[in-house]
Amino acid sequence: MNNSNVRKYVITAIVTLLILVCVIGVTYAFFNPTVNSNGITTVNIESSEQATISFTGGNDITVNAYQPGVSGELYFSVGLKSDGGDISAAYDIIWNITENTFIKDVSNADDKELLYSLYISTDNTNWEPLITDAEAATLIGEVKLATNELILAPENSEKVNYYKFVITYPSLDKDQSYNMEASLNSYVEVKQSEE
């Protein structure tokens, strides 16, 4: 075999391998949910053959109780795109609390030491409450903020639900020094509802 034939075979083999790697990579990327965690999280959840729910959230939400009255806000959205007919999907909103050092004052069980609220908007301007001023002082782990939220996308369009999540360390009419420097670290995620 002469030198030019060997060179042709090597080039053909390299090109074939490159094409094979590209095809496998594209196929894997198409069927694999994506997670991008550099400040903005995007998770695609396949809800049917024609639909993909997309969740776009911000950074982790943290509250440090250096003084009463402090609060933290997180804005995120859930979208559904239709490339065909009218489609719908259901999803759950989960609040994952990785650390919570707030203490509940047992001497006055009616006082809410740490509050959370969730609001929804279809235009990212006018907010309607889903949860308002619920107690969070003793929560840890996964907390379901919403179950079976429904999103509908008309034919060949995209529908987006916007959310605002607020955590507040309220200023109460009492000594709150037992919670000074307490902290809560958490993040919000969206999962496809279980049938």
Side-chain angles (χ1 to χ4, degrees), residues 63-72 102-104 110-116 133-137 166-180:
V63 174
N64 294 308
Y66 296 121
Q67 65 181 23
V70 69
S71 67
F102 281 85
I103 298 169
K104 177 75 175 156
D110 293 337
D111 287 343
K112 294 182 178 181
E113 308 291 336
L114 188 64
L115 306 173
Y116 69 94
D133 296 336
E135 173 69 63
V166 181
I167 304 172
T168 305
Y169 174 46
S171 181
L172 303 173
D173 190 19
K174 67 176 187 178
D175 177 17
Q176 293 176 260
S177 60
Y178 55 89
N179 269 329
M180 295 305 271

Short mmCIF file of all heavy atoms in Angstrom, two decimals, residues 63-72 102-104 110-116 133-137 166-180:
data_model
loop_
_atom_site.label_atom_id
_atom_site.label_comp_id
_atom_site.label_asym_id
_atom_site.label_seq_id
_atom_site.Cartn_x
_atom_site.Cartn_y
_atom_site.Cartn_z
N VAL A 63 -31.70 34.44 53.86
CA VAL A 63 -32.10 35.50 54.77
C VAL A 63 -31.22 35.40 56.01
O VAL A 63 -31.12 34.34 56.62
CB VAL A 63 -33.58 35.37 55.16
CG1 VAL A 63 -33.95 36.38 56.23
CG2 VAL A 63 -34.48 35.56 53.95
N ASN A 64 -30.56 36.48 56.34
CA ASN A 64 -29.76 36.58 57.56
C ASN A 64 -30.44 37.58 58.48
O ASN A 64 -30.64 38.73 58.11
CB ASN A 64 -28.33 37.02 57.26
CG ASN A 64 -27.59 35.98 56.45
OD1 ASN A 64 -27.55 34.81 56.82
ND2 ASN A 64 -27.02 36.38 55.33
N ALA A 65 -30.76 37.16 59.70
CA ALA A 65 -31.53 37.98 60.64
C ALA A 65 -30.62 38.87 61.47
O ALA A 65 -30.44 38.66 62.66
CB ALA A 65 -32.38 37.09 61.53
N TYR A 66 -30.04 39.86 60.82
CA TYR A 66 -29.22 40.81 61.57
C TYR A 66 -30.10 41.83 62.30
O TYR A 66 -29.73 42.34 63.33
CB TYR A 66 -28.24 41.52 60.64
CG TYR A 66 -27.24 40.57 60.03
CD1 TYR A 66 -27.14 40.43 58.66
CD2 TYR A 66 -26.43 39.79 60.83
CE1 TYR A 66 -26.24 39.54 58.11
CE2 TYR A 66 -25.52 38.90 60.29
CZ TYR A 66 -25.43 38.77 58.92
OH TYR A 66 -24.55 37.88 58.37
N GLN A 67 -31.25 42.11 61.73
CA GLN A 67 -32.21 42.99 62.39
C GLN A 67 -33.61 42.65 61.89
O GLN A 67 -33.77 42.26 60.74
CB GLN A 67 -31.89 44.46 62.12
CG GLN A 67 -32.03 44.86 60.68
CD GLN A 67 -31.67 46.32 60.46
OE1 GLN A 67 -30.95 46.90 61.25
NE2 GLN A 67 -32.17 46.89 59.39
N PRO A 68 -34.63 42.76 62.74
CA PRO A 68 -36.00 42.49 62.31
C PRO A 68 -36.41 43.42 61.17
O PRO A 68 -35.97 44.57 61.11
CB PRO A 68 -36.83 42.75 63.57
CG PRO A 68 -35.87 42.55 64.70
CD PRO A 68 -34.55 43.03 64.18
N GLY A 69 -37.24 42.90 60.29
CA GLY A 69 -37.72 43.68 59.15
C GLY A 69 -37.02 43.35 57.85
O GLY A 69 -37.42 43.82 56.79
N VAL A 70 -35.96 42.53 57.90
CA VAL A 70 -35.23 42.19 56.68
C VAL A 70 -36.01 41.16 55.87
O VAL A 70 -36.76 40.34 56.43
CB VAL A 70 -33.81 41.67 57.03
CG1 VAL A 70 -33.87 40.31 57.70
CG2 VAL A 70 -32.92 41.61 55.80
N SER A 71 -35.89 41.22 54.55
CA SER A 71 -36.56 40.24 53.71
C SER A 71 -35.71 39.93 52.48
O SER A 71 -34.81 40.69 52.13
CB SER A 71 -37.95 40.72 53.28
OG SER A 71 -37.86 41.82 52.42
N GLY A 72 -36.01 38.82 51.85
CA GLY A 72 -35.36 38.42 50.61
C GLY A 72 -36.40 38.05 49.58
O GLY A 72 -37.47 37.53 49.93
N PHE A 102 -33.41 29.52 62.48
CA PHE A 102 -34.40 30.33 63.19
C PHE A 102 -35.08 29.48 64.28
O PHE A 102 -35.26 28.28 64.12
CB PHE A 102 -35.45 30.89 62.23
CG PHE A 102 -34.99 32.09 61.47
CD1 PHE A 102 -34.27 31.93 60.29
CD2 PHE A 102 -35.23 33.37 61.93
CE1 PHE A 102 -33.82 33.02 59.58
CE2 PHE A 102 -34.79 34.47 61.23
CZ PHE A 102 -34.08 34.30 60.05
N ILE A 103 -35.45 30.14 65.36
CA ILE A 103 -36.07 29.47 66.51
C ILE A 103 -37.50 30.00 66.66
O ILE A 103 -37.75 31.20 66.52
CB ILE A 103 -35.27 29.76 67.79
CG1 ILE A 103 -33.85 29.21 67.66
CG2 ILE A 103 -35.96 29.17 69.01
CD1 ILE A 103 -32.92 29.68 68.75
N LYS A 104 -38.41 29.12 66.98
CA LYS A 104 -39.81 29.50 67.25
C LYS A 104 -39.96 29.79 68.74
O LYS A 104 -39.57 28.99 69.58
CB LYS A 104 -40.73 28.35 66.82
CG LYS A 104 -42.19 28.58 67.09
CD LYS A 104 -42.79 29.55 66.11
CE LYS A 104 -44.29 29.65 66.34
NZ LYS A 104 -44.84 30.87 65.88
N ASP A 110 -48.50 32.14 68.80
CA ASP A 110 -49.19 32.88 67.74
C ASP A 110 -48.24 33.75 66.91
O ASP A 110 -48.57 34.12 65.79
CB ASP A 110 -50.30 33.76 68.32
CG ASP A 110 -51.43 32.94 68.92
OD1 ASP A 110 -51.58 31.76 68.51
OD2 ASP A 110 -52.15 33.46 69.79
N ASP A 111 -47.09 34.09 67.46
CA ASP A 111 -46.13 34.93 66.73
C ASP A 111 -45.48 34.14 65.60
O ASP A 111 -45.05 33.00 65.79
CB ASP A 111 -45.03 35.44 67.67
CG ASP A 111 -45.53 36.51 68.61
OD1 ASP A 111 -46.60 37.09 68.33
OD2 ASP A 111 -44.84 36.78 69.62
N LYS A 112 -45.43 34.75 64.45
CA LYS A 112 -44.75 34.15 63.30
C LYS A 112 -43.36 34.75 63.21
O LYS A 112 -43.21 35.94 62.96
CB LYS A 112 -45.55 34.38 62.02
CG LYS A 112 -46.89 33.68 62.02
CD LYS A 112 -47.63 33.90 60.72
CE LYS A 112 -48.95 33.16 60.70
NZ LYS A 112 -49.67 33.36 59.44
N GLU A 113 -42.35 33.93 63.43
CA GLU A 113 -40.96 34.39 63.52
C GLU A 113 -40.33 34.62 62.15
O GLU A 113 -39.45 35.45 61.99
CB GLU A 113 -40.11 33.38 64.29
CG GLU A 113 -40.68 32.97 65.64
CD GLU A 113 -40.65 34.09 66.65
OE1 GLU A 113 -39.82 35.01 66.52
OE2 GLU A 113 -41.45 34.03 67.60
N LEU A 114 -40.75 33.85 61.17
CA LEU A 114 -40.22 33.94 59.81
C LEU A 114 -41.36 33.65 58.85
O LEU A 114 -42.06 32.65 58.99
CB LEU A 114 -39.08 32.93 59.62
CG LEU A 114 -38.28 33.01 58.33
CD1 LEU A 114 -37.52 34.34 58.24
CD2 LEU A 114 -37.28 31.85 58.25
N LEU A 115 -41.58 34.53 57.88
CA LEU A 115 -42.73 34.43 56.99
C LEU A 115 -42.30 34.16 55.55
O LEU A 115 -41.23 34.60 55.12
CB LEU A 115 -43.52 35.74 57.00
CG LEU A 115 -43.96 36.27 58.36
CD1 LEU A 115 -44.57 37.65 58.21
CD2 LEU A 115 -44.95 35.32 58.99
N TYR A 116 -43.15 33.45 54.81
CA TYR A 116 -42.92 33.31 53.37
C TYR A 116 -44.23 33.50 52.62
O TYR A 116 -45.31 33.18 53.11
CB TYR A 116 -42.25 31.99 53.01
CG TYR A 116 -43.09 30.74 53.21
CD1 TYR A 116 -43.83 30.19 52.16
CD2 TYR A 116 -43.11 30.08 54.43
CE1 TYR A 116 -44.57 29.04 52.33
CE2 TYR A 116 -43.85 28.92 54.61
CZ TYR A 116 -44.57 28.40 53.56
OH TYR A 116 -45.31 27.26 53.73
N ASP A 133 -47.80 35.12 54.00
CA ASP A 133 -47.35 35.16 55.39
C ASP A 133 -47.50 33.84 56.12
O ASP A 133 -48.01 33.78 57.24
CB ASP A 133 -48.08 36.27 56.15
CG ASP A 133 -47.72 37.65 55.59
OD1 ASP A 133 -46.65 37.79 54.98
OD2 ASP A 133 -48.52 38.59 55.78
N ALA A 134 -47.03 32.76 55.51
CA ALA A 134 -47.02 31.46 56.17
C ALA A 134 -45.76 31.36 57.04
O ALA A 134 -44.74 31.97 56.75
CB ALA A 134 -47.04 30.34 55.13
N GLU A 135 -45.84 30.59 58.11
CA GLU A 135 -44.74 30.45 59.07
C GLU A 135 -43.65 29.53 58.51
O GLU A 135 -43.93 28.45 58.00
CB GLU A 135 -45.27 29.87 60.37
CG GLU A 135 -44.21 29.51 61.39
CD GLU A 135 -43.52 30.72 61.99
OE1 GLU A 135 -44.20 31.53 62.65
OE2 GLU A 135 -42.30 30.86 61.79
N ALA A 136 -42.39 29.97 58.63
CA ALA A 136 -41.27 29.19 58.12
C ALA A 136 -40.17 28.95 59.15
O ALA A 136 -39.15 28.37 58.83
CB ALA A 136 -40.66 29.89 56.90
N ALA A 137 -40.38 29.37 60.39
CA ALA A 137 -39.29 29.32 61.38
C ALA A 137 -38.77 27.92 61.64
O ALA A 137 -37.60 27.74 61.90
CB ALA A 137 -39.75 29.96 62.69
N VAL A 166 -41.16 35.54 48.48
CA VAL A 166 -40.65 36.50 49.47
C VAL A 166 -40.53 35.82 50.83
O VAL A 166 -41.46 35.15 51.28
CB VAL A 166 -41.59 37.72 49.59
CG1 VAL A 166 -41.04 38.73 50.59
CG2 VAL A 166 -41.83 38.37 48.24
N ILE A 167 -39.36 35.99 51.47
CA ILE A 167 -39.15 35.53 52.84
C ILE A 167 -38.88 36.76 53.69
O ILE A 167 -38.05 37.59 53.32
CB ILE A 167 -37.95 34.57 52.92
CG1 ILE A 167 -38.14 33.39 51.97
CG2 ILE A 167 -37.77 34.07 54.35
CD1 ILE A 167 -36.92 32.51 51.87
N THR A 168 -39.55 36.87 54.84
CA THR A 168 -39.42 38.05 55.69
C THR A 168 -39.18 37.65 57.15
O THR A 168 -39.87 36.77 57.67
CB THR A 168 -40.71 38.91 55.61
OG1 THR A 168 -40.98 39.23 54.25
CG2 THR A 168 -40.57 40.19 56.42
N TYR A 169 -38.22 38.32 57.75
CA TYR A 169 -38.00 38.22 59.20
C TYR A 169 -38.69 39.45 59.79
O TYR A 169 -38.14 40.54 59.80
CB TYR A 169 -36.50 38.21 59.49
CG TYR A 169 -36.13 38.25 60.95
CD1 TYR A 169 -36.75 37.45 61.89
CD2 TYR A 169 -35.12 39.10 61.38
CE1 TYR A 169 -36.40 37.49 63.22
CE2 TYR A 169 -34.74 39.14 62.73
CZ TYR A 169 -35.39 38.34 63.63
OH TYR A 169 -35.04 38.38 64.96
N PRO A 170 -39.94 39.29 60.27
CA PRO A 170 -40.74 40.46 60.64
C PRO A 170 -40.28 41.10 61.94
O PRO A 170 -39.66 40.47 62.79
CB PRO A 170 -42.15 39.88 60.80
CG PRO A 170 -41.92 38.47 61.20
CD PRO A 170 -40.66 38.04 60.51
N SER A 171 -40.60 42.37 62.07
CA SER A 171 -40.34 43.10 63.30
C SER A 171 -41.57 42.95 64.19
O SER A 171 -42.65 43.45 63.86
CB SER A 171 -40.08 44.58 62.98
OG SER A 171 -39.80 45.29 64.15
N LEU A 172 -41.41 42.23 65.29
CA LEU A 172 -42.52 41.97 66.21
C LEU A 172 -42.41 42.87 67.43
O LEU A 172 -41.34 43.38 67.74
CB LEU A 172 -42.52 40.50 66.63
CG LEU A 172 -42.60 39.48 65.48
CD1 LEU A 172 -42.43 38.07 66.01
CD2 LEU A 172 -43.91 39.61 64.72
N ASP A 173 -43.51 43.02 68.14
CA ASP A 173 -43.55 43.88 69.33
C ASP A 173 -43.07 43.09 70.55
O ASP A 173 -43.81 42.86 71.51
CB ASP A 173 -44.97 44.40 69.53
CG ASP A 173 -45.04 45.49 70.60
OD1 ASP A 173 -43.99 46.08 70.90
OD2 ASP A 173 -46.14 45.72 71.13
N LYS A 174 -41.80 42.64 70.49
CA LYS A 174 -41.19 41.89 71.59
C LYS A 174 -39.69 41.80 71.34
O LYS A 174 -39.19 42.17 70.27
CB LYS A 174 -41.80 40.49 71.70
CG LYS A 174 -41.48 39.59 70.53
CD LYS A 174 -42.04 38.20 70.76
CE LYS A 174 -41.59 37.24 69.67
NZ LYS A 174 -42.09 35.89 69.90
N ASP A 175 -38.97 41.28 72.31
CA ASP A 175 -37.53 41.07 72.18
C ASP A 175 -37.30 39.87 71.25
O ASP A 175 -37.78 38.77 71.52
CB ASP A 175 -36.92 40.79 73.56
CG ASP A 175 -35.43 40.50 73.48
OD1 ASP A 175 -34.80 40.82 72.45
OD2 ASP A 175 -34.90 39.94 74.46
N GLN A 176 -36.59 40.09 70.14
CA GLN A 176 -36.33 39.02 69.18
C GLN A 176 -34.85 38.64 69.13
O GLN A 176 -34.39 38.06 68.16
CB GLN A 176 -36.78 39.47 67.78
CG GLN A 176 -38.28 39.64 67.65
CD GLN A 176 -38.68 40.16 66.29
OE1 GLN A 176 -38.94 41.34 66.13
NE2 GLN A 176 -38.72 39.28 65.30
N SER A 177 -34.14 38.94 70.20
CA SER A 177 -32.69 38.70 70.19
C SER A 177 -32.32 37.23 70.05
O SER A 177 -31.23 36.91 69.59
CB SER A 177 -32.05 39.28 71.46
OG SER A 177 -32.61 38.69 72.60
N TYR A 178 -33.22 36.31 70.42
CA TYR A 178 -32.92 34.88 70.29
C TYR A 178 -32.75 34.47 68.82
O TYR A 178 -32.16 33.44 68.53
CB TYR A 178 -34.00 34.03 70.98
CG TYR A 178 -35.40 34.32 70.50
CD1 TYR A 178 -35.95 33.65 69.42
CD2 TYR A 178 -36.16 35.29 71.15
CE1 TYR A 178 -37.22 33.93 68.98
CE2 TYR A 178 -37.44 35.57 70.72
CZ TYR A 178 -37.97 34.90 69.64
OH TYR A 178 -39.23 35.19 69.21
N ASN A 179 -33.26 35.25 67.88
CA ASN A 179 -33.09 34.94 66.46
C ASN A 179 -32.09 35.87 65.77
O ASN A 179 -31.90 35.75 64.55
CB ASN A 179 -34.44 35.02 65.72
CG ASN A 179 -35.14 33.68 65.69
OD1 ASN A 179 -34.50 32.64 65.66
ND2 ASN A 179 -36.45 33.70 65.71
N MET A 180 -31.45 36.75 66.51
CA MET A 180 -30.46 37.62 65.88
C MET A 180 -29.32 36.76 65.35
O MET A 180 -28.86 35.85 66.02
CB MET A 180 -29.92 38.65 66.87
CG MET A 180 -30.99 39.63 67.32
SD MET A 180 -31.82 40.50 65.97
CE MET A 180 -30.76 41.90 65.80
#
